[in-house]
Amino acid sequence: RAEAAMFEVKASGRNSIRFFEPKMRSQTSRFLEISNHLKHAIDNNELELVYQPQYSFAEQRVVAAEALLRWNDAELGRISPADFIPVAESNGFIIPISDWVVNTASRQLAEWRSQGLSDLVLAINLSAVQFRQSELSKHLAAIVSRHGVDPGSIEFELTEAVALQDPVLASLTMQRLKKQGFHLSIDDFGTGYSSMSYLKRFSVEKLKIDQSFVKDLKDSESDRAIVKAIIEMAHSLGMKTIAEGVETQQQLVILEGYGCDEIQGYLYSKPLSAKDFLEFLATNSKISLDGLRH
Ligand code: C2E
Ligand code: MG
Ligand code: MG
Ligand code: MG
């Protein structure tokens, strides 16, 4: 059963359908190990959020930050979300973990507001698994409002997998989230299976261009063509774009030239602790990207 579950997880992971290998057994025990420890991660205070700035070309400042989970288990040490999120999705922990994320991010945003960060938007990742929760939009709105945070300052990042499992339910839930006032974006855009008709039907405002297309932007003519096409399509459908994983000046210059709206990546800043994020803004908010362009 564990192996079947493991296979399911692998199959549903991003671009990662795999066949049985001898390695499978050790992957299974790693999976169980993570699963057993993850059960106690919230109670043991082992989860933390870090925040990565999102920079707007038009506004020449950080307009938003993406909240990203970090887990430091007493015994296993630091485990990447890329490794534990799939486990959480398969055993249902993703629901309490996500509630913890939305709660913690909202509390943080409320605190930043009181410290003068008036119009920052926080982007929060949602799992496709959560879209099977009934009343998801009401549930999320309730958590956010507990902290006096306006849903308009929260953006939920969804992956294309959301549309894949039940397009009708997904578009209904997305409409409800929009109605509550939340912003929506599609994460890792271009790696999944979204068709143009979904894009039209789903009320998302922003596409996050996956970092796999950004990585070789300088040398790959086809990646440049794809990125340019995504940006043009998004704009003609009234959506904005943000490029993920921007690490070099060359990537920045190309993206800006194509009219990409925002960038996120190590070039501008790595994900930062809440304290470091505030300090980063205090020292860098007046700095445009001129220093990074040359
Ligand atoms: P994602 O949502 O696509 O997040 C972007 C990932 O790219 C993050 O990895 C971030 O640290 C990394 N990144 C940012 N800039 C750069 C760069 O310039 N170069 C490179 N190479 N990487 C960069 P991270 O934090 O390890 O998260 C991995 C994935 O785990 C996320 O991908 C997301 O799918 C998932 N995840 C993280 N936090 C949460 C959460 O709170 N809830 C859910 N459901 N999933 C989460
Ligand atoms: Mg533990
Ligand atoms: Mg994301
Ligand atoms: Mg992404």
Side-chain angles (χ1 to χ4, degrees):
R1 282 208 49 199
E3 285 190 358
M6 183 67 206
F7 184 75
E8 229 177 76
V9 166
K10 281 294 165 197
S12 64
R14 97 182 213 185
N15 290 342
S16 60
I17 293 176
R18 289 192 199 160
F19 299 101
F20 257 76
E21 305 161 11
K23 225 169 61 189
M24 206 75 199
R25 190 161 298 279
S26 67
Q27 285 177 342
T28 303
S29 59
R30 175 65 173 166
F31 178 92
L32 290 174
E33 189 176 45
I34 289 177
S35 181
N36 285 333
H37 285 263
L38 198 53
K39 270 182 221 156
H40 311 291
I42 294 180
D43 291 340
N44 292 352
N45 270 319
E46 292 171 349
L47 297 180
E48 194 198 338
L49 288 181
V50 288
Y51 301 88
Q52 189 173 33
Q54 299 182 337
Y55 181 92
S56 156
F57 284 117
E59 300 197 34
Q60 297 190 36
R61 66 180 181 99
V62 173
V63 288
E66 178 175 7
L68 293 160
L69 258 174
R70 294 293 176 260
W71 176 31
N72 192 1
D73 181 81
E75 225 176 293
L76 304 178
R78 295 200 161 271
I79 301 179
S80 157
D83 293 327
F84 73 79
I85 293 287
V87 177
E89 286 178 330
S90 86
N91 64 16
F93 294 157
I94 191 69
I95 305 291
I97 288 174
S98 284
D99 287 353
W100 182 89
V101 170
V102 176
N103 194 45
T104 305
S106 301
R107 188 193 302 125
Q108 187 59 66
L109 191 59
E111 191 187 315
W112 281 336
R113 284 278 144 97
S114 74
Q115 291 168 328
L117 275 189
S118 56
D119 52 4
L120 185 83
V121 169
L122 264 193
I124 298 175
N125 293 282
L126 284 191
S127 159
V129 172
Q130 291 175 272
F131 270 69
R132 295 182 211 141
Q133 249 182 309
S134 63
E135 309 275 357
L136 178 69
S137 59
K138 270 190 200 161
H139 177 69
L140 294 174
I143 300 179
V144 167
S145 71
R146 228 181 274 157
H147 299 277
V149 165
D150 173 16
S153 48
I154 304 281
E155 173 184 301
F156 287 117
E157 298 189 1
L158 324 166
T159 59
E160 293 162 275
V162 164
L164 209 64
Q165 50 187 21
D166 185 344
V168 177
L169 180 67
S171 85
L172 193 67
T173 304
M174 286 161 88
Q175 279 165 28
R176 287 180 176 154
L177 286 165
K178 286 280 325 185
K179 227 172 173 177
Q180 297 279 0
F182 294 112
H183 299 286
L184 301 177
S185 63
I186 297 193
D187 205 352
D188 307 334
F189 186 78
T191 61
Y193 304 87
S194 50
S195 74
M196 302 299 151
S197 69
Y198 288 160
L199 272 189
K200 207 179 76 177
R201 188 147 24 111
F202 292 165
S203 32
V204 296
E205 291 140 276
K206 199 191 279 181
L207 301 182
K208 297 196 73 177
I209 302 168
D210 190 67
Q211 49 191 65
S212 60
F213 302 113
V214 174
K215 199 166 174 287
D216 301 318
L217 214 46
K218 187 172 82 71
D219 300 312
S220 163
E221 201 174 318
S222 58
D223 283 349
R224 282 199 299 275
I226 289 168
V227 167
K228 191 164 178 271
I230 292 175
I231 294 169
E232 281 168 8
M233 177 193 64
H235 287 169
S236 43
L237 289 171
M239 294 185 282
K240 287 191 168 181
T241 50
I242 178 165
E244 300 188 278
V246 179
E247 294 183 353
T248 69
Q249 299 152 352
Q250 290 99 328
Q251 292 165 346
L252 172 93
V253 169
I254 294 169
L255 289 161
E256 191 180 23
Y258 289 161
C260 188
D261 301 280
E262 295 170 17
I263 53 158
Q264 175 181 349
Y266 296 162
L267 177 69
Y268 195 67
S269 171
K270 295 207 166 189
L272 303 166
S273 71
K275 185 174 156 285
D276 290 347
F277 181 79
L278 202 61
E279 261 169 45
F280 180 86
L281 285 197
T283 45
N284 295 278
S285 63
K286 300 256 164 11
I287 298 176
S288 75
L289 285 180
D290 286 339
L292 298 173
R293 278 196 196 92
H294 313 294

